[in-house]
Amino acid sequence: MSTKVLSVNHCQQCNSHLDENEENLVKRAACELQSMDGSVSANVEELHPFPRACFDLMRSLPGNRRCVDCGAKNPEWASVSYGALICMPCSGRHRRFGVQFAKVRSINMDHWSRQEVLSMLEGGNDQLQTFFSRHKL
């Protein structure tokens, strides 16, 4: 599992690439993730609402302002399996694939594990579409 995108050291190394607002957003998201880190007890990971700064950071990833499937604006659902944002109608289609293929969560209504939040921050709609295009899927 790589958290390079949220590492404070990484932020210091690439300050020239980040404006002040982006840098602050990355630092806030890193703090929120760190606060989720201590919530593992007896091999059971606690669930939390999706952290606000992590949501803002996830939304800033390329392509994440539109549903990865249909292009609807401001998707509020996620395909955690693919690290992609989807709209409500497309979330229903993903759910019908079955849990063995797609893990679907509401950004606002569901609770998330730290690993699920990291999956969403490591993904992104453009990244997924590029992968599918590259492999002709």
Side-chain angles (χ1 to χ4, degrees):
M1 161 180 44
S2 169
T3 57
K4 184 170 100 176
V5 75
L6 298 176
S7 165
V8 174
N9 289 335
H10 177 70
C11 295
Q12 292 168 350
Q13 294 169 0
C14 67
N15 276 346
S16 61
H17 302 311
L18 297 175
D19 69 23
E20 190 172 319
N21 289 334
E22 289 172 324
E23 183 180 344
N24 287 334
L25 179 58
V26 170
K27 286 181 180 178
R28 285 192 344 235
C31 287
E32 288 177 346
L33 278 172
Q34 191 172 22
S35 71
M36 292 176 83
D37 199 22
S39 65
V40 178
S41 61
N43 296 327
V44 176
E45 194 165 20
E46 285 184 14
L47 302 177
H48 305 271
F50 204 96
R52 185 69 209 171
C54 292
F55 173 80
D56 293 341
L57 182 60
M58 176 185 64
R59 183 71 78 174
S60 74
L61 294 174
N64 279 5
R65 295 207 178 267
R66 293 195 173 268
C67 173
V68 72
D69 286 348
C70 73
K73 290 182 181 179
N74 300 317
E76 296 288 326
W77 289 77
S79 173
V80 182
S81 308
Y82 296 104
L85 292 177
I86 51 180
C87 65
M88 185 186 292
C90 290
S91 74
R93 284 192 290 276
H94 280 251
R95 283 187 189 252
R96 283 193 297 273
F97 295 151
V99 294
Q100 67 272 28
F101 297 110
K103 187 174 190 179
V104 177
R105 293 272 186 275
S106 166
I107 300 295
N108 297 313
M109 294 185 288
D110 286 322
H111 283 71
W112 296 70
S113 70
R114 182 178 186 275
Q115 183 58 46
E116 290 169 334
V117 172
L118 282 171
S119 294
M120 294 306 299
L121 293 173
E122 291 288 334
N125 290 4
D126 277 4
Q127 185 174 325
L128 180 63
Q129 288 175 328
T130 299
F131 175 85
F132 285 155
S133 293
R134 184 175 55 238
H135 296 284
K136 296 175 179 49
L137 298 174

